[in-house]
Amino acid sequence: MAASKILGNKNTLLKVIILGDGGVGKSCLMNRFVNNQFDDHSFHTIGVEFLNKEMRIKNESFTLQIWDTAGQERFKSLRTPFYRGSDICMLTFSLDDIASFRNIAMWRNEFLNYAGIKDGNKFPFIVVANKVDIDKREVSEAEAQSWCVENGNLPYVETSAKDAINVDYAFNLAVDIWTKFEDAMDNQGIYQDDTIKLQNQVPNKSTPCCNVKKCFAKKIQN
């Protein structure tokens, strides 16, 4: 895992990847969590976008770098290079779209492959079912819970980006799960984090976003 700890402020930077089919509400979840906003007419993500969010859990400070990935197959070559170095993966589907639920296994396998993770049981996944506000659902809670149990007892949360239901809880739970994974690996002596000394390095917040956009523009033009 690629978590970075800034010693001076005791702040942990976590890279969070949101995966799932197009249209399940990944961008809406990210924007609700980061900006507390919801746009019912938002466009599909092209490639990858990210936002930062600072938060505190159990007296610890975290900065989440949240990456929203395009769900369409034609954007696979744009999103997969960003899987490496991730600390948390949120597998997302929509409760009114059973196909998106059936595809979360594919998304999990794609992530493990391109992130270079050999054992999926040793990585913090969380399953997020969005659009719990809808009147008619195609996936029952029992069915989703059963899949999570069969695939490593993955944590499961039902959310609504539109009505701000359980969105904050989902991201807080994801960080809590990462903390438990980190503690477990520390106890096994196999986890090594990247330490940044604040006095020696000042992060440039504008550079990553600028470079990402230029990269996508070039690839789309080609």
Side-chain angles (χ1 to χ4, degrees):
M1 297 184 189
S4 297
K5 294 184 178 180
I6 301 175
L7 299 181
N9 295 333
K10 296 183 179 179
N11 182 283
T12 301
L13 175 65
L14 298 178
K15 181 178 178 181
V16 182
I17 294 283
I18 307 179
L19 297 184
D21 286 4
V24 300
K26 299 186 297 298
S27 298
C28 293
L29 285 168
M30 180 177 71
N31 280 291
R32 172 63 78 183
F33 177 64
V34 175
N35 301 314
N36 196 26
Q37 296 177 347
F38 177 80
D39 182 2
D40 200 22
H41 303 288
S42 60
F43 296 99
H44 289 302
T45 301
I46 297 176
V48 178
E49 298 177 353
F50 75 87
L51 293 174
N52 288 343
K53 171 81 171 185
E54 295 184 0
M55 58 190 297
R56 289 187 65 85
I57 299 179
K58 298 178 181 178
N59 296 319
E60 293 188 38
S61 296
F62 297 89
T63 297
L64 302 191
Q65 188 181 80
I66 306 166
W67 294 75
D68 166 33
T69 59
Q72 293 84 352
E73 177 64 22
R74 66 181 181 275
F75 295 125
K76 183 175 180 178
S77 63
L78 294 180
R79 67 175 178 257
T80 51
F82 294 92
Y83 291 176
R84 283 192 175 274
S86 299
D87 298 292
I88 298 167
C89 181
M90 304 179 79
L91 301 170
T92 311
F93 70 94
S94 177
L95 287 166
D96 66 347
D97 183 357
I98 193 168
S100 69
F101 168 66
R102 291 170 177 166
N103 284 339
I104 58 176
M106 177 273 293
W107 286 109
R108 184 173 183 266
N109 290 335
E110 178 181 291
F111 176 82
L112 292 173
N113 180 42
Y114 287 95
I117 298 171
K118 296 181 180 180
D119 188 352
N121 293 323
K122 294 181 179 179
F123 188 88
F125 288 97
I126 179 172
V127 177
V128 179
N130 194 34
K131 304 185 182 181
V132 72
D133 55 279
I134 61 174
D135 294 328
K136 186 177 181 180
R137 55 192 290 167
E138 295 185 359
V139 183
S140 69
E141 183 175 359
E143 184 178 10
Q145 289 277 18
S146 177
W147 187 92
C148 291
V149 170
E150 293 172 0
N151 288 272
N153 289 315
L154 304 181
Y156 174 73
V157 183
E158 295 191 350
T159 65
S160 168
K162 181 179 180 180
D163 293 342
I165 298 172
N166 284 340
V167 177
D168 285 358
Y169 172 73
F171 283 92
N172 276 264
L173 179 60
V175 174
D176 186 58
I177 294 165
W178 173 86
T179 301
K180 292 176 180 177
F181 268 84
E182 181 195 40
D183 291 342
M185 287 188 290
D186 276 344
N187 292 334
Q188 295 173 17
I190 60 174
Y191 177 71
Q192 294 180 349
D193 62 358
D194 298 321
T195 301
I196 299 176
K197 294 184 179 180
L198 191 62
Q199 63 270 26
N200 293 336
Q201 181 169 341
V202 179
N204 186 334
K205 295 182 179 180
S206 63
T207 301
C209 184
C210 180
N211 289 342
V212 169
K213 290 180 178 178
K214 288 180 180 178
C215 176
F216 294 152
K218 290 180 180 178
K219 291 189 176 182
I220 292 171
Q221 289 173 359
N222 295 335

